């Protein structure tokens, strides 16, 4: 895949989009604070989803709630005349065990367990702010096209976008844009890994292990044979494949032949089609293991996501615009706050990093998986990151929660909304760029490609976070 170069949105238009983004800062800050103060876990984001959807509705978007049989997913649409459909993804879920106030030292909030340790409250609020700014800019300039905001629940382990993709909600999208909170500013078009997870269960027959072993059929033997075959399989799969497994249950006492054993397996590969092939071979291995041990195998798919498919044109548009947008600047108070927080790091990077744009990350292979992957195989997709966190902060840490609850997080969120809105405005103004992105997309997917969710027909795991609720 070759990298592309494009010019940014012309300055006059850029300044108008930035003015509309600035006008949304109050709405964005309000949403970010509301979500941060009430962090909700995956598929339980009732209030967060309602707040984001209501903000869209108040700006004249038509909102459909509960899409794809996900109670907290929604789609907000606003069309003006002819033109492409530009989708903005908005996440909103928090993580369990990350209670933290907005101070630069470890300080959990009493009585609270959840926290926005991945910054998805900023994610959702900035995407909504960008959508609202674009709608106002369209009204001012008469630019045609549809702005569509996707309220995507349960990114953290629930893969909400997969079920939205399976329901066809991204099928008529021309371009999908998203972002993620970070400790630096960056445009990235990296590949991730497709991932399929499953429980593999063996059902046997229990018996006294010494008195009547011939009566028994050990479910553990089924599991052991399966694990052995999975381990052998690793030698004869394409480069870059990963097969992981852990035993969840293998019996309770050695003098009882176990009638139940269970394993959790995970298959990953950069190409979702190869991940699916390897998974099918594991399913066959489970059948073979059951046959040889006189047990019965049951394979239950849990989550499964596609890898992220980079798009050279979308990445180039985002990179060109991010390069000319105003940089984040902190006040003296914010710097002091950040310096205090950095005392919790061994070797903190310089704070100046928040005022720079990191090198463009194009077509690199990452070792992570994300449900954005499914969107990217359906529509040309691009991502940016902005410094919502103090340099040195990683996702899923208390430091991320802390910065997300104060002005450092909100400034990064504003920068993200600007990057999304200006990039989207360029696609709305230039049909040739949309056509180029679609051409890249077709080439990257290959001839005759048809999207198929790797989860198959499995229902969404709506209760997966309920124990933490
Ligand atoms: Zn996360
Ligand atoms: Zn995240």
């Amino acid at each position: 895949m070759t990298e592309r170069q494009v010019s940014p949105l012309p300055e006059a238009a850029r300044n108008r989009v930035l003015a509309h983004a600035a006008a949304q800062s109050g709405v964005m800050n309000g949403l970010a604070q509301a979500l941060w103060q009430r962090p909700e876990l995956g598929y339980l984001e009732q209030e967060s989803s309602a707040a984001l959807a209501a903000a869209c509705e108040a700006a004249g978007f038509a909102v459909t709630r509960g899409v794809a049989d996900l109670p907290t997913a929604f789609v907000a649409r606003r069309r003006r005349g002819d033109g492409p459909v530009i989708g903005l993804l908005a996440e909103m879920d928090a993580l369990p065990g990350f209670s933290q106030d907005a101070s630069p030292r470890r300080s959990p909030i009493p009585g609270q367990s959840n926290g926005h340790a991945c910054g998805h409250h900023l994610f959702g609020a900035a995407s909504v702010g960008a959508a609202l700014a674009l709608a106002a800019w369209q009204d001012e300039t008469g630019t045609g096209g549809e702005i569509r905001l996707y309220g995507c629940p349960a990114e953290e382990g629930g893969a909400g976008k997969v079920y939205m993709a399976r329901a066809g909600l991204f099928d008529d999208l021309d371009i999908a844009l998203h972002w993620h909170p970070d400790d630096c500013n960056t445009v990235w078009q990296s590949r991730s890994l497709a991932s399929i997870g499953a429980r593999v269960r063996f059902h046997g027959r229990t018996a006294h292990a010494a008195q009547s072993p011939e009566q028994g059929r050990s479910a553990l033997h089924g599991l052991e044979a399966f694990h052995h075959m999975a381990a052998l399989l690793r030698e004869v799969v394409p480069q870059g494949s990963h097969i992981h497994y852990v035993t969840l249950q293998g019996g309770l006492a050695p003098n009882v032949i176990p009638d139940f054993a269970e394993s959790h397996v995970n298959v990953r590969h950069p190409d979702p089609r190869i991940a699916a092939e390897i998974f099918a071979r594991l399913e066959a291995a489970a059948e073979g293991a059951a046959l040889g041990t006189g047990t019965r195998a049951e394979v239950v798919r849990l989550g499964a996501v596609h890898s992220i498919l980079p798009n050279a044109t979308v990445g180039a548009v985002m990179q060109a615009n991010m390069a000319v947008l105003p940089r984040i600047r902190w006040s003296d108070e914010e710097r002091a706050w950040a310096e205090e927080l950095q005392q919790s790091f061994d070797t903190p990077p310089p704070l100046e990093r928040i005022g720079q744009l990191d090198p463009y990350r194009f077509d690199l292979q990452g070792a992570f998986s994300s449900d954005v992957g499914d969107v990217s195989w359906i529509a040309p997709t691009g991502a940016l990151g902005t410094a919502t966190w103090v340099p040195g902060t990683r996702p899923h840490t208390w430091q991320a929660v802390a910065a997300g609850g104060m002005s450092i997080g909100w400034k990064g969120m504003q920068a993200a909304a600007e990057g999304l809105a200006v990039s989207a405005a360029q696609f709305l103004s230039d049909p040739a760029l949309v056509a180029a992105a679609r051409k890249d997309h077709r080439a990257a997917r290959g001839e005759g490609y048809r999207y198929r969710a790797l989860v198959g027909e499995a229902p969404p795991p709506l209760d997966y976070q309920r124990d933490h609720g």
Side-chain angles (χ1 to χ4, degrees):
M1 190 170 292
T2 40
E3 200 177 320
R4 284 190 206 295
Q5 299 284 334
V6 302
S7 305
L9 186 69
E11 193 177 351
R14 177 166 80 235
N15 288 338
R16 291 311 305 152
V17 177
L18 288 178
H20 287 294
Q24 295 302 331
S25 70
V27 170
M28 284 189 270
N29 289 2
L31 286 171
Q33 285 178 68
L35 269 59
W36 188 88
Q37 280 162 6
R38 228 189 121 77
E40 296 175 305
L41 303 179
Y43 292 130
L44 304 172
E45 313 98 328
Q46 278 88 0
E47 291 192 19
S48 305
S49 169
L52 298 176
C56 295
E57 215 160 41
F61 284 68
V63 176
T64 315
R65 294 175 172 81
V67 293
D69 294 326
L70 308 174
T72 51
F74 70 92
V75 180
R77 297 177 172 85
R78 193 174 184 277
R79 169 161 283 283
R80 200 196 149 90
D82 289 338
V85 185
I86 310 292
L88 299 170
L89 309 182
E91 294 177 5
M92 60 188 104
D93 60 326
L95 285 153
F98 279 107
S99 170
Q100 166 70 30
D101 67 18
S103 65
R105 293 181 180 279
R106 180 79 181 109
S107 173
I109 299 171
Q112 184 175 311
S113 156
N114 306 336
H116 270 291
C118 213
H120 294 177
H121 64 303
L122 302 169
F123 190 153
S127 296
V128 167
L132 270 49
L134 283 163
W137 174 77
Q138 277 189 300
D139 288 349
E140 181 188 76
T141 57
T143 309
E146 180 173 325
I147 309 298
R148 203 180 282 173
L149 187 287
Y150 288 89
C152 304
E155 190 280 330
E156 300 288 0
K161 295 178 199 75
V162 167
Y163 305 96
M164 297 171 79
R166 188 174 71 180
L169 295 173
F170 303 106
D171 286 357
D172 62 338
L173 203 54
D174 287 297
I175 303 286
L177 302 179
H178 68 110
W179 75 286
H180 202 282
D182 212 323
D183 72 334
C184 60
N185 306 291
T186 171
V187 174
W188 54 277
Q189 280 291 336
S190 301
R191 289 169 192 270
S192 61
L193 294 170
S195 173
I196 307 175
R199 296 278 175 102
V200 180
R201 297 175 179 142
F202 287 87
H203 302 274
R205 200 162 66 220
T206 189
H208 192 294
Q211 248 169 42
S212 49
E214 76 286 353
Q215 303 285 323
R217 296 292 180 269
S218 172
L220 177 61
H221 290 170
L223 191 76
E224 286 174 331
F226 168 68
H227 280 174
H228 185 59
M229 286 191 243
L232 296 176
L233 190 60
R234 288 181 177 134
E235 193 189 336
V236 288
V237 290
Q239 296 285 352
S241 306
H242 301 266
I243 300 172
H244 323 287
Y245 53 82
V246 290
T247 300
L248 298 177
Q249 212 170 309
L252 298 166
N255 60 350
V256 179
I257 290 174
D259 63 354
F260 183 73
E262 186 176 28
S263 163
H264 191 159
V265 302
N266 194 204
V267 175
R268 300 188 204 238
H269 191 275
D271 188 325
R273 293 160 288 203
I274 292 175
E277 279 167 27
I278 295 169
F279 188 80
R281 289 164 77 187
L282 276 178
E283 284 181 308
E287 284 302 317
L291 188 65
T293 55
T295 57
R296 181 171 63 83
E298 178 195 9
V299 179
V300 180
R301 275 187 209 216
L302 302 171
V305 297
H306 277 55
S307 50
I308 292 174
L309 190 64
N311 188 282
T313 301
V314 181
V317 166
M318 295 182 108
Q319 174 65 18
N321 286 298
M322 283 293 280
V324 294
L325 286 180
R327 301 268 80 93
I328 295 170
R329 294 165 82 118
W330 286 347
S331 66
D332 291 344
E333 292 76 33
E334 287 160 347
R335 277 194 76 88
W337 191 97
E339 277 162 7
E340 191 175 340
L341 182 133
Q342 279 197 330
Q343 288 170 17
S344 62
F345 301 142
D346 291 337
T347 46
L351 295 182
E352 284 60 42
R353 203 171 170 193
I354 64 119
Q356 302 157 358
L357 182 65
D358 275 20
Y360 178 34
R361 285 185 273 159
F362 180 75
D363 206 14
L364 304 173
Q365 179 64 55
F368 64 101
S369 301
S370 160
D371 63 356
V372 168
D374 287 63
V375 182
S376 73
W377 284 80
I378 300 170
T381 302
L384 58 87
T386 59
T388 59
W389 300 328
V390 173
T393 303
R394 297 317 306 148
H396 299 201
T397 58
W398 67 263
Q399 291 92 339
V401 184
M406 48 86 72
S407 56
I408 286 178
W410 306 331
K411 283 186 175 175
M413 166 179 70
Q414 184 72 34
E418 291 170 357
L420 292 175
V422 172
S423 302
Q426 187 165 13
F427 280 114
L428 287 170
S429 338
D430 190 347
L433 280 176
V434 176
R438 295 197 70 104
K439 192 168 166 234
D440 287 345
H441 193 242
R442 280 193 298 273
R445 292 196 312 186
E447 273 312 310
Y449 176 83
R450 251 190 77 231
Y451 168 80
R452 248 187 234 102
L454 293 172
V455 284
E457 298 304 312
L462 295 179
D463 285 334
Y464 83 110
Q465 291 284 36
R466 224 171 254 287
D467 293 347
H468 302 283

